[in-house]
Amino acid sequence: MDTTEPIRLTKLAKRAGCAAKHPPGFLLPLLGMLPPITDPNVLVGSATADDAAIYKLSPDLALVLTTDFFTPIVDAPRDFGRVAAANALSDVYAMGGKPTAALSIVGFPDSLPAAVLGEILAGASAVAAEAGIAIVGGHTIKSEEPIFGLAVVGTVHPERVLSNAGAKPGDVLLLTKPIGSGIISTAAKNDQDTRGAITDAIRVMTTLNRTAAEVLTQFEVHALTDVTGFGLLGHLRNVTAASGVTAEVFASRVPVLDAAREYVKAGIAPGGTRANAKFLADWVEFAPELPPEEQLLLCDAQTSGGLLAAVPAAVADEVMRALNAAGTLASANVGWITGPGRGTIRVRHAAAIQKGP
């Protein structure tokens, strides 16, 4: 490989970040084919498509187990490591847990200098240290594309697990980061990021969900997830389906990275975002006045996105104030749980809503 110019990792990947995930329409039927888990110590398994597994060790201690890895979503190796680490750690925070240790998962081409992998590992180690843990080992293989991520172990009290399956009618939906990173990273990969928005997207993607989780766990939270490859509406669908409820989202209240709205209007979006939209067609009803590009934006495949919490309406304002005070990137009321049901979602402009939070 010619090393006279800076290496652009995204040029080595067919798909980027969490947009490289298989879509829910592919994965969920496969999960349904797995044998049921009968171990009573498995508090959360694969049945509800949650962010991590929970295994009870004792009456006051459970493990949080997760793994997450992908191909490059950014060009700089150190940034790739940082984003991948923050993304993997987020699954532990999304269960109400605290990370304990991590292992690296690496696929690396022979065509790249070893120093590139050193930078990836250094970026990941820096974010792990920010989370208060160490990367204590890992495994590498040769691969055609760079692949990196972490297997993370965390802990949580068995009675304080925050799964995606507890949302209740009347709950308010709060989001702690803006969306749009999938669209912006695709623009950057394809040399269409005319606004240089990838810098802001990297800032969002490398921000740990630790602070948001610390705030949320001080309050009553009925359901919690993080917004990653299935997009905002896809992960909300997992919450509503697992909880047996329906929801309404106010599109104008969803925080969005500015350039993402401009780019999606120009037709820029990752394949994973479009696959999400296709899957969600059976689950989401969009208001007729919502333009197609706005609909697609709500399906955008995020990498290291924010936490999405279902909280009682009585405490929602207090939680939002606490998130603001703690300095989270967003603390937006984006919708509410409307009632019992099979998991369907309505999306409206907030101005058109006459009732609800």
Side-chain angles (χ1 to χ4, degrees):
M1 170 172 283
D2 182 4
T3 57
T4 59
E5 296 183 1
I7 294 171
R8 293 187 59 186
L9 291 182
T10 62
K11 294 298 185 181
L12 307 176
K14 295 178 181 178
R15 302 167 186 85
C18 285
K21 292 173 68 170
H22 280 293
F26 176 87
L27 289 174
L28 295 178
L30 293 177
L31 293 178
M33 295 168 60
L34 295 175
I37 297 170
T38 58
D39 186 340
N41 291 314
V42 177
L43 303 184
V44 178
S46 59
T48 56
D50 215 326
D51 300 298
I54 304 291
Y55 192 89
K56 182 179 176 180
L57 294 178
S58 70
D60 59 359
L61 181 64
L63 294 178
V64 186
L65 306 167
T66 185
T67 182
D68 214 318
F69 56 92
F70 44 64
T71 51
I73 190 169
V74 291
D75 285 321
R78 188 173 289 254
D79 285 339
F80 177 35
R82 293 169 64 218
V83 171
N87 182 74
L89 286 160
S90 181
D91 288 338
V92 176
Y93 296 130
M95 305 302 296
K98 180 180 179 180
T100 302
L103 300 171
S104 291
I105 300 169
V106 179
F108 198 71
D110 284 333
S111 59
L112 288 176
V116 171
L117 179 54
E119 283 290 292
I120 294 171
L121 295 172
S125 295
V127 169
E130 184 182 345
I133 69 167
I135 299 174
V136 296
H139 187 71
T140 63
I141 63 167
K142 295 181 180 182
S143 61
E144 296 302 312
E145 299 175 304
I147 299 168
F148 184 75
L150 299 178
V152 187
V153 177
T155 58
V156 67
H157 193 288
E159 296 179 0
R160 297 173 191 154
V161 174
L162 296 175
S163 78
N164 66 359
K168 299 179 181 180
D171 282 350
V172 171
L173 298 169
L174 302 181
L175 181 64
T176 68
K177 282 186 183 182
I179 65 170
S181 64
I183 290 164
I184 290 173
S185 60
T186 297
K189 173 179 168 62
N190 296 335
D191 299 318
Q192 296 173 300
D193 182 17
T194 55
R195 295 179 55 174
I198 190 64
T199 299
D200 198 33
I202 290 172
R203 178 184 64 87
V204 172
M205 292 187 290
T206 56
T207 298
L208 287 171
N209 280 326
R210 177 180 182 174
T211 298
E214 288 173 348
V215 171
L216 289 167
T217 53
Q218 296 175 23
F219 294 90
E220 182 180 358
V221 175
H222 291 158
L224 188 64
T225 190
D226 63 345
V227 179
T228 53
F230 298 156
L232 173 61
L233 293 182
H235 286 281
L236 176 57
R237 187 227 72 100
N238 288 349
V239 170
T240 55
S243 304
V245 297
T246 58
E248 190 160 50
V249 170
F250 310 139
S252 63
R253 296 187 188 178
V254 176
V256 177
L257 292 167
D258 289 341
R261 185 167 274 119
E262 174 184 325
Y263 293 163
V264 76
K265 288 180 180 178
I268 300 170
T273 296
R274 300 186 189 279
N276 290 341
K278 181 178 179 181
F279 169 76
L280 288 166
D282 293 332
W283 296 89
V284 179
E285 174 199 346
F286 290 101
E289 68 270 17
L290 199 66
E293 61 269 17
E294 290 291 317
Q295 299 178 23
L296 191 61
L297 184 56
L298 296 174
C299 302
D300 188 35
Q302 302 303 282
T303 298
S304 191
L307 297 180
L308 178 66
V311 305
V315 302
D317 287 345
E318 185 180 358
V319 175
M320 292 171 65
R321 287 193 295 269
L323 289 168
N324 276 325
T328 57
L329 298 181
S331 58
N333 172 346
V334 298
W336 65 306
I337 302 299
T338 52
R342 73 175 187 92
T344 55
I345 301 165
R346 293 179 296 176
V347 181
R348 303 285 186 267
H349 283 294
I353 301 299
Q354 301 300 319
K355 63 179 181 177

